[in-house]
């Protein structure tokens, strides 16, 4: 039989079209930035009581006039990042990140204006010129979240996977210098940095480099259970946000609650209709950097919950024919199987796990769809050709149990779900098939 023809190489988009799209975006973004940023400055300047959030230790930060050079360099990288892209969709997504950072930051500047309290000494030479130009449009307002830091996170991420060799560590080092310069130029106070970084990662999450947008195809859920979970997580987000705002009057440390507030809001958005894509989990179990950072508080809670519920249980049990059911594994546990089939949308594959891994993301406490169940059955049968199989979710009680039950019936090892339930119960592991809707003859 003749060998199949090789797949055609992907068509490269003409760069003239890419650069034209980038130029059009710059024509829009530049005046939009200066107009909205200036408007927020103007509004804040009309108030007599603009406050500030500054710690005493910040007074020990030295003023280094030369760091205005890396501070200003972000303007160059802002434009170059748009112009140096491979596709027009890449340009559009980067522009979407820029717009997200700008609109959210400006909204915060208008609603919660803050003021930088340090007065810079007189400078001369190139630094003096750059400070003078900066002072022509920038005022000591527009502090938290730092738009400079938000844009830095976006631009750093844009280049970190495009550069190789010695250029990559040089890029990381220059970005660290840009980040530090917001303090050493006395442009910002410390609290502006973590809040700006959080905004930058949110923009990366909202417009990921690859895959579908988290809000694409959003349809409000009609599932009563999903609605209850939406309200539960939305309430948690609202309480955390309220705690951050109220606590800021006493201590800036309370602003750390903005992090879990955003994480819980993203999870609520997933249950409201966006689905498991809000976790940005790939088929190999990895997640995007933005998802890893933004959802870390939620994942920490999920890990604690996992330990609480499964600490007295064996991590997995054999069901039949080399197929195991269990909780989410550690790297060492995962590498003990031929394949791990993972249903937990919210948990990331352990970094050091090197074996075969298939992620079929399903939201916690919701039933897998029929399409997902069918996909999982095929995945189990395929994985069995490569050795033992661990089917897992967070606890190994519901999502993974429903998949194993479906596989038992589909493969003829059980004639009904009731028989599959008995087979699973015989393993000694608690399962809750009825709680997620898998309780019917197959």
């Amino acid at each position: 039989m003749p060998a199949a023809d090789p797949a055609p190489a992907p068509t490269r988009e003409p760069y003239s079209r890419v650069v034209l799209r980038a130029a059009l975006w710059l024509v829009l973004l530049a005046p939009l930035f200066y107009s909205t940023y200036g408007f927020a400055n103007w509004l804040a300047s009309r108030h007599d009581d603009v406050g500030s959030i500054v710690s005493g230790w910040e007074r020990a930060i030295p003023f280094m006039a030369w760091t205005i050079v890396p501070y200003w360099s972000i303007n160059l990288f802002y434009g170059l990042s748009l112009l140096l892209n491979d596709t027009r969709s890449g340009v559009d997504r980067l522009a979407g990140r820029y717009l997200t950072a700008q609109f959210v930051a400006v909204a915060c500047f208008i609603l919660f204006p803050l003021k930088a309290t340090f007065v810079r000494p007189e400078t001369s030479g190139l630094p003096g010129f750059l400070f003078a130009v900066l002072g022509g449009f920038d005022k000591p307002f527009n502090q938290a979240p730092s738009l400079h830091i938000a844009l830095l996170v976006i631009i750093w991420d844009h280049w970190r996977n495009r550069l190789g060799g010695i250029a990559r560590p040089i890029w990381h080092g220059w970005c660290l210098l840009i980040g530090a310069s917001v303090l050493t130029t006395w442009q910002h106070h410390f609290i502006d940095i973590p809040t700006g970084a959080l905004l930058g990662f949110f923009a990366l999450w909202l417009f990921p480099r690859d895959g579908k947008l988290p809000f694409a195809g959003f349809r409000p859920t009609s599932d009563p259970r999903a609605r209850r979970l939406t309200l539960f997580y939305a309430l948690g987000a609202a309480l955390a946000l309220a705690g951050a705002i109220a606590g800021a009057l006493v201590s800036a440390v309370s602003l750390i609650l903005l992090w879990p507030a955003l994480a819980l809001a993203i999870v609520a958005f997933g249950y409201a209709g966006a689905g498991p894509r809000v976790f940005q989990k790939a088929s190999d179990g990895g997640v995007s950097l933005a998802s890893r950072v933004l959802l870390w508080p939620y994942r920490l809670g999920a890990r604690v919950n996992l330990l609480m519920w499964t600490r007295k249980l064996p991590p997995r049990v054999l069901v039949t024919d080399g197929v195991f059911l269990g909780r989410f594994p550690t790297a060492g546990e995962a590498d003990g199987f031929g394949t791990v089939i993972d249903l937990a949308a919210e948990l990331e594959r352990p970094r050091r796990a090197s074996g075969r891994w298939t992620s079929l993301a399903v939201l916690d406490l919701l039933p897998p769809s029929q399409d997902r169940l069918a996909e999982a059955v095929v995945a189990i049968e395929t994985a069995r050709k490569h050795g033992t199989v661990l089917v897992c979710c967070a606890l190994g009680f519901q999502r993974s149990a429903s998949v194993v039950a479906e596989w038992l019936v589909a493969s003829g090892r059980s004639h009904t779900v009731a028989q599959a339930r008995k087979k699973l119960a015989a393993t000694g592991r608690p399962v809750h098939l009825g709680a997620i809707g898998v309780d019917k003859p197959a």
Side-chain angles (χ1 to χ4, degrees), residues 21 51 72 78 81 116 126 155 171 182 199 207 211 274 290 313 331 339 352 354 395:
R21 181 69 65 91
W72 261 103
Y78 184 101
S81 299
L126 177 61
I155 294 168
W171 173 244
V182 304
L199 173 56
F207 289 93
L313 295 173
T339 305
R352 290 175 294 175
S354 58
L395 307 182

Side-chain angles (χ1 to χ4, degrees), residues 101-115:
Q102 181 174 329
F103 280 125
V104 174
V106 169
C108 291
F109 299 156
I110 293 173
L111 294 173
F112 310 104
L114 294 171
K115 184 178 181 179

Side-chain angles (χ1 to χ4, degrees), residues 317-320 323-326 391 396-409 413-414 416-434 436 438:
V317 292
L318 175 63
V319 179
T320 185
V323 175
F324 290 75
L325 171 66
V391 183
F397 294 168
Q398 299 187 358
R399 289 167 288 182
S400 52
S402 68
V403 162
V404 173
E406 185 80 7
W407 169 72
L408 287 171
V409 176
R413 290 172 173 81
S414 297
T416 65
V417 170
Q419 290 182 0
R421 184 197 298 274
K422 291 181 180 179
K423 187 178 290 288
L424 292 177
T427 66
R429 189 168 193 85
V431 296
H432 307 285
L433 302 185
I436 56 172
V438 182

Side-chain angles (χ1 to χ4, degrees), residues 281 284-285 302-303 306-307 310 314-317 324-344 346-359 389-396 399-400 429:
K281 189 169 182 176
D284 65 356
R303 288 284 185 180
L306 185 160
L307 292 174
T310 64
R316 67 271 177 188
V317 292
F324 290 75
L325 171 66
R327 60 156 170 77
F328 202 81
T330 63
E333 292 167 347
D335 288 344
F337 293 90
T339 305
V340 173
I341 296 178
D342 154 33
L343 282 298
E346 69 276 17
L347 296 177
E348 179 183 5
R349 171 183 178 163
R351 300 279 186 87
R352 290 175 294 175
S354 58
R356 291 169 56 88
W357 192 289
T358 299
S359 176
V389 181
L390 172 65
V391 183
C392 66
C393 53
L395 307 182
R399 289 167 288 182
S400 52
R429 189 168 193 85

Side-chain angles (χ1 to χ4, degrees), residues 118-342:
F118 298 158
V119 179
R120 288 191 294 266
E122 291 293 329
T123 55
S124 59
L126 177 61
F129 170 75
L130 293 177
F131 274 115
V133 174
L134 182 63
F137 69 90
D138 198 16
K139 305 302 177 186
F141 307 108
N142 299 355
Q143 294 294 295
S146 167
L147 183 54
H148 206 86
I149 294 296
L151 293 175
L152 174 61
V153 168
I154 294 168
I155 294 168
W156 165 77
D157 180 75
H158 181 78
W159 288 100
R160 67 185 178 93
N161 292 320
R162 288 174 165 80
L163 299 175
I166 190 63
R168 182 176 294 177
I170 291 175
W171 173 244
H172 293 329
W174 188 257
C175 287
L176 284 173
L177 195 57
I178 295 174
S181 71
V182 304
L183 295 178
T184 57
T185 56
W186 289 3
Q187 275 290 112
H188 284 275
H189 292 308
F190 177 76
I191 194 61
D192 309 341
I193 294 179
T195 50
L198 193 66
L199 173 56
F201 282 111
F202 175 70
L204 292 178
W205 173 83
L206 198 62
F207 289 93
R209 180 183 294 110
D210 303 308
K212 294 182 179 179
L213 301 177
F215 53 83
F218 177 89
R219 299 180 65 179
T221 183
S222 58
D223 185 336
R225 188 181 296 108
R227 288 179 175 176
R228 288 195 297 271
L229 289 166
T230 299
L231 292 174
F232 173 78
Y233 285 112
L235 178 60
L239 290 174
L241 178 60
I245 295 173
L249 301 174
V250 179
S251 171
V253 175
S254 66
L255 290 177
I256 198 173
L257 291 174
L258 292 173
W259 194 1
L262 181 55
L264 292 173
I266 289 173
V267 176
F269 181 63
Y271 281 101
R277 72 163 58 101
V278 299
F279 291 100
Q280 296 184 349
K281 189 169 182 176
S283 59
D284 65 356
V287 301
S288 70
L289 175 63
S291 172
R292 184 178 302 128
V293 171
L294 291 182
L295 292 165
W296 184 85
Y298 176 77
R299 289 194 173 98
L300 177 62
R303 288 284 185 180
V304 171
N305 184 66
L306 185 160
L307 292 174
M308 289 177 58
W309 282 95
T310 64
R311 68 185 187 281
K312 296 182 179 180
L313 295 173
R316 67 271 177 188
V317 292
L318 175 63
V319 179
T320 185
D321 294 341
V323 175
F324 290 75
L325 171 66
R327 60 156 170 77
F328 202 81
T330 63
E333 292 167 347
D335 288 344
F337 293 90
T339 305
V340 173
I341 296 178
D342 154 33

Side-chain angles (χ1 to χ4, degrees), residues 339 341 358 360 374-384 389:
T339 305
I341 296 178
T358 299
L360 302 171
E375 188 178 3
V377 168
V378 173
I380 292 174
E381 282 301 312
T382 301
R384 290 182 64 241
V389 181

